[in-house]
Structures are given as structure tokens and as C-alpha cells.
Amino acid sequence: MPTSSSNIVTPADELRAGAAKREITPQPGTHVSGSGMGNHRPAGTVLDPLYAKAMVLEAGGRRVCIIILDVTVVMDPYSNAIRRAVSEHLQMSPDAVLICATQTHSAPSLGAFMLDPDFPLVTTPETEYVCGAEQAYGDFAAEQAIQAAIEAGTTMRPAEIGCGRGIADGLAFNRRGIARDGTIIMPRPAHKIDDPRGPTTLCYLEGPTDPEVGVLGVRALDGEMLGMLLHFTCHPVNLFGNPETYTSVSADWPGAWSKQVLAEYGDACVPIVLNGCCGNINPWDPFNPELAPDHLRMGRKLAAMSRCVVEKITFSREVGLDWRMQCVDLAYRDIPATRLADVERILREGSGPEVHPDGSVSVDPTWFLAASTRSVELARQRSPVLSYEVQVFRIGDVAIVGLPGEPFVEGQLALKTRSAAPFVWPSHMASHYVGYLPTAEAWERGGHEARPDVTYWSKLARGSLETVVTKTREMIVDLFAQATDAGTV
């Protein structure tokens, strides 16, 4: 018979673990995030449920908690509230609670993120969505995240972990194309190009992708898989880019991958996806017209690879746990004087969201972009720099890195190259939204992620990504050097 966990005495330096999830699928009509310019996307068909998932690990007197939500964004008021509640219930440091969004563009968000909180916009229940989220849903999803974490922490049992990696190419593509005139374009999926010659205006793709599939399995001593941390890197926009599913609710490829893992390892397993630095990565193949975006296909491919990885994993009970949290000051980019003058005029003459007799709402895109630029100025007035929070967890041989916003994949690859940690798995969209973090070279080129007219999602100064990478590498070195000195695995 399998050994009962209640009969096992776990030494202080050996691992205990728990994982849990709560459904956070929105009610019909809830605003689905992921689209800017004040567009309203009332939730329609539910293609698959959304979840808040949590894993708590404890060893050597240390405890860490990872919470991932199938939403677009989690803003800092919600992150802070979740941390406080979880740390109080589980008697652990709030700095050891990591909260991230998978960034599926077919789900709501927790907290307003499209405009600065100080922007003078009076909203009604009909226009609340313009700022990116609706409070009723945020409050509901945050409470479910708290309950998932508490359940994970109060149901911990002796466990063992193992980790490994595989490679799955052909699923994600760099989404910044260099056109033949030198400008930046976002290539459409090839199957949408009505020209047998292909995207002839596209000269080449600007940067790389990251094909790594990371797997950390957490297994009870009787062999039952309690949960997995799964790492891959791609914008979850398979459904967002399709008019037929534009208002559908889905966890996109992270949800499809999780569903396949559940079918393989059973309902007791809680698969948790850590979506990497995908600021410039999409699932849209710009060259192969036979490869339309398909979240289910991605889920099957990733599950097949993660299964191969698990088969090669060696599990261990002796696991070193530790964490670090530091804030890095990042400068805002300068707004050209001509743009500031235009913004002043547009906001003075514009009227903002307009509610029509039929209840629909329209937002002038020009007004919205001006409000977005003004939001950057308001943030700068509140503080001359943005305090960017970096979290690093050490779980055995793995460094889990929580990075806010949408860093470009080059930053992630820099962290993985010549690292002090055998495995480095960043999870973007952590704790608060700060917009994109492009490379210095991409920043100079502009494009959606680095607009020279300066929007709330492209507000950070040149070199911000490189600054974050430097600080994060130092934190990883510190964690793993201490682990080596202590003789832990």
C-alpha cells in the first residue's frame, strides 16, 4: 500500500508542499482585457475556465508561495492585498509570496492599468472598463487567489521535487518585424495574408525566441503528483487575434497545457504555468500559412514535451529554499514638447468616453492616446522614477524570477546564459503592470512596444531592461552562492 503522509515524520530540512486552485471564470458581460484604446469586450462564450492557482513549499524553516492567475494583469493594490492576507494566514514573509498573471488576452484584469490612477476621469458602471478593469471582478478573483493559497499552505504534506527542461520550437515567434523601409511592424499570421507570395514587405524579424520548456514536478512520497511549475514563453493571444473568438473567455495556451497535464497526471495535480518574458513574442507564424494560431495545438505540443521531461527527472526530498526581493529605480522616458502640446489641446477639446442611448460606449482613439500620454506625466509627478520590484525564488536548482510588466525575451535569455542557477525561469507580469521593457536597440527603433509619442504602456526610458537584468543576475548569484556555501542542493 502507498505510505500515508500522516505516518511520516518530516525533518525540518526536508520538503513539504501543497497546491490548490480556485475557479475565477467571469460572469457574462464582464470586461475582457488585453485590448487598448478604450475598446469594450464584454465576456461572451466561455471556451475554458479560468483559475487562480497556488503552490506553497516549505523546507529548512523557509516557506515560499507562488500564485498565478489566468488573467491579463494584476495591479499592485491587489498584489499587496493578496500578499498581506496570505502572509498573515500562513505565517510567512510577504516578500516570499509571488503573484503573476499569465497575461491571457481572453480574460479580465485585477486593477486599472490602462490609465494612471491620478488621471481625472470620472467613470460610471458603463465606463469603468476604460481604465482596463472592473472592480467587482478584481475583488472576486483576488479573494479566490487568497483562498487557493491558504488551502495550498494548510494541506502541505511531505514531498519531493525534480526539475528538467526540453525544447519546443515552432510554437512562438518574434513579433517585431523589420520592414523594408526600416520601420517596425507586427507581422500578421501568415494564413491571414491574402497573397501567395507571403509578407513581402517584411525584411526580417528583429529578435529571437526562447524555446525552453521548463518543468518542476512536486510529488508526494506515495508517487502522486501534487503539482507542477511549467515554464514557456509566448503571448497568450491565439484567440484574441481571431474575430470569431475576440470576446470569448479562455486561459489560451497556458490553460490548454494545464488541461493536458491534468489528463496525464490526474485531478490531484495542480499545473501552474510561469509565462516568461514574452513582450515581443507571439504565437503568430508570419511565414507558414498552414500554421494558424491554435491554443489547443500549443497545449498538446507543450504537454508532450513536459511529459518527456518528467520521464527523465530525478526527484529529491532535500531542497534548498530561499528568496530575495529588491526594487530598482527606472527612469521614465522624456515626452517631446510637441507631443505635450498636442496632448494638452486634445484633452482640452475632447470629451472622453461617450455613453450612447442604447447603452454602448465609444471612446475616441486620439483622446485615449492623449490620456495615456498624460498618465505618464502624472506618474512622473508622483515620483520621478518608477520603483520596479524584482523577486527571485530559489527552489533547489531553479531560480524563479518575478518581473513586472512585459520584458523582451532578450532579457530572459541574458538571465539564462552563464547563470549561477542551473535553471532560470522568469515569470513576467508579476505584482504590478509597468508596460514594456524593450532592449535598448528596440527602444531606438520604436514600434508598438516603444512608441516615441510615449504611452502608458511604453513609458520607460532606454536601458531599463538592461538595468533590470543586471540587478536580477546579482540576486541570482547571491542566492545560489549562499546555497553553495551552505552545502544545500
Side-chain angles (χ1 to χ4, degrees):
M1 290 180 61
T3 305
S4 170
S5 61
S6 62
N7 295 328
I8 299 174
V9 177
T10 306
D13 60 346
E14 293 185 332
L15 180 69
R16 293 199 309 146
K21 64 182 180 182
R22 289 286 189 277
E23 187 172 344
I24 55 170
T25 305
Q27 294 295 315
T30 303
H31 179 62
V32 176
S33 303
S35 176
M37 312 299 286
N39 298 328
H40 187 28
R41 297 168 63 206
T45 303
V46 177
L47 299 180
D48 53 276
L50 308 181
Y51 290 99
K53 302 177 181 179
M55 179 179 290
V56 179
L57 303 166
E58 181 181 71
R62 294 185 175 95
R63 183 178 288 183
V64 299
C65 175
I66 297 172
I67 302 171
I68 306 294
L69 296 93
D70 291 327
V71 296
T72 310
V73 169
V74 181
M75 287 300 289
D76 46 332
Y78 281 104
S79 294
N80 293 338
I82 294 169
R83 277 182 178 148
R84 283 194 301 270
V86 171
S87 63
E88 289 172 4
H89 276 90
L90 299 183
Q91 297 297 297
M92 58 185 295
S93 169
D95 290 356
V97 180
L98 172 64
I99 301 164
C100 299
T102 62
Q103 209 202 357
T104 171
H105 280 42
S106 298
S109 290
L110 280 70
F113 66 97
M114 292 303 297
L115 298 176
D116 191 79
D118 288 342
F119 184 82
L121 178 64
V122 178
T123 61
T124 66
E126 293 81 12
T127 62
E128 181 186 13
Y129 80 89
V130 172
C131 295
E134 294 168 329
Q135 184 177 347
Y137 179 80
D139 293 349
F140 156 72
E143 180 58 29
Q144 298 311 304
I146 291 168
Q147 294 305 316
I150 292 172
E151 180 183 347
T154 54
T155 60
M156 288 190 297
R157 50 177 164 153
E160 55 188 5
I161 71 165
C163 57
R165 66 167 59 92
I167 299 296
D169 202 7
L171 299 177
F173 308 88
N174 197 286
R175 76 179 200 179
R176 285 175 53 92
I178 309 295
R180 298 192 181 277
D181 63 0
T183 59
I184 289 290
I185 58 176
M186 189 181 297
R188 301 173 65 201
H191 80 287
K192 290 189 175 183
I193 300 173
D194 189 21
D195 188 334
R197 299 172 302 167
T200 55
T201 59
L202 176 62
C203 190
Y204 64 97
L205 299 180
E206 181 184 60
T209 64
D210 184 352
E212 181 180 8
V213 177
V215 180
L216 186 150
V218 181
R219 193 170 68 179
L221 301 188
D222 61 8
E224 181 180 51
M225 194 70 76
L226 301 178
M228 290 185 183
L229 298 179
L230 304 167
H231 172 67
F232 190 65
T233 304
C234 184
H235 253 85
V237 291
N238 286 283
L239 298 158
F240 170 77
N242 185 344
E244 296 179 358
T245 53
Y246 183 64
T247 60
S248 296
V249 173
S250 172
D252 207 276
W253 65 261
W257 189 5
S258 297
K259 184 176 180 179
Q260 293 289 324
V261 169
L262 282 173
E264 180 78 18
Y265 297 100
D267 290 341
C269 178
V270 180
I272 299 176
V273 174
L274 308 171
N275 192 6
C277 297
C278 61
N280 54 342
I281 306 297
N282 269 355
W284 303 346
D285 189 332
F287 302 118
N288 184 358
E290 297 181 0
L291 197 64
D294 184 344
H295 68 299
L296 299 177
R297 179 181 61 85
M298 283 188 71
R300 290 191 298 270
K301 294 281 189 181
L302 291 168
M305 179 52 66
S306 58
R307 180 169 58 251
C308 292
V309 173
V310 171
E311 290 172 354
K312 299 290 187 180
I313 282 177
T314 299
F315 287 82
S316 172
R317 290 194 66 194
E318 296 185 2
V319 178
L321 288 182
D322 207 348
W323 68 88
R324 295 288 186 275
M325 178 190 285
Q326 292 190 28
C327 289
V328 184
D329 287 342
L330 300 179
Y332 293 102
R333 67 183 298 167
D334 293 329
I335 303 174
T338 54
R339 174 59 179 163
L340 287 173
D342 286 344
V343 166
E344 182 67 28
R345 174 184 56 79
I346 293 166
L347 294 180
R348 183 176 62 251
E349 298 174 356
S351 58
E354 182 178 356
V355 181
H356 302 289
D358 64 356
S360 63
V361 179
S362 62
V363 178
D364 178 4
T366 301
W367 176 90
F368 189 86
L369 285 174
S372 185
T373 303
R374 172 61 60 81
S375 291
V376 179
E377 277 300 288
L378 292 171
R380 193 199 315 268
Q381 291 170 14
R382 196 166 53 247
S383 173
V385 294
L386 184 145
S387 182
Y388 186 93
E389 178 186 284
V390 180
Q391 277 180 285
V392 181
F393 286 6
R394 178 178 175 269
I395 306 174
D397 285 339
V398 181
I400 304 295
V401 180
L403 297 175
E406 304 183 68
F408 274 24
V409 74
E410 288 89 341
Q412 173 169 293
L413 295 172
L415 292 175
K416 292 184 175 186
T417 305
R418 297 189 300 276
S419 175
F423 299 87
V424 179
W425 298 338
S427 186
H428 84 321
M429 300 298 283
S431 71
H432 58 293
Y433 187 68
V434 302
Y436 290 94
L437 286 85
T439 64
E441 182 181 3
W443 191 96
E444 295 287 354
R445 285 199 174 108
H448 170 72
E449 303 87 355
R451 295 177 63 118
D453 57 354
V454 189
T455 58
Y456 207 52
W457 62 84
S458 61
K459 58 179 173 281
L460 295 177
R462 183 181 187 276
S464 293
L465 178 65
E466 289 76 11
T467 298
V468 169
V469 167
T470 298
K471 173 53 65 177
T472 305
R473 287 183 68 91
E474 293 173 358
M475 294 168 68
I476 293 173
V477 167
D478 179 45
L479 272 176
F480 281 79
Q482 291 203 9
T484 302
D485 295 341
T488 54
V489 177

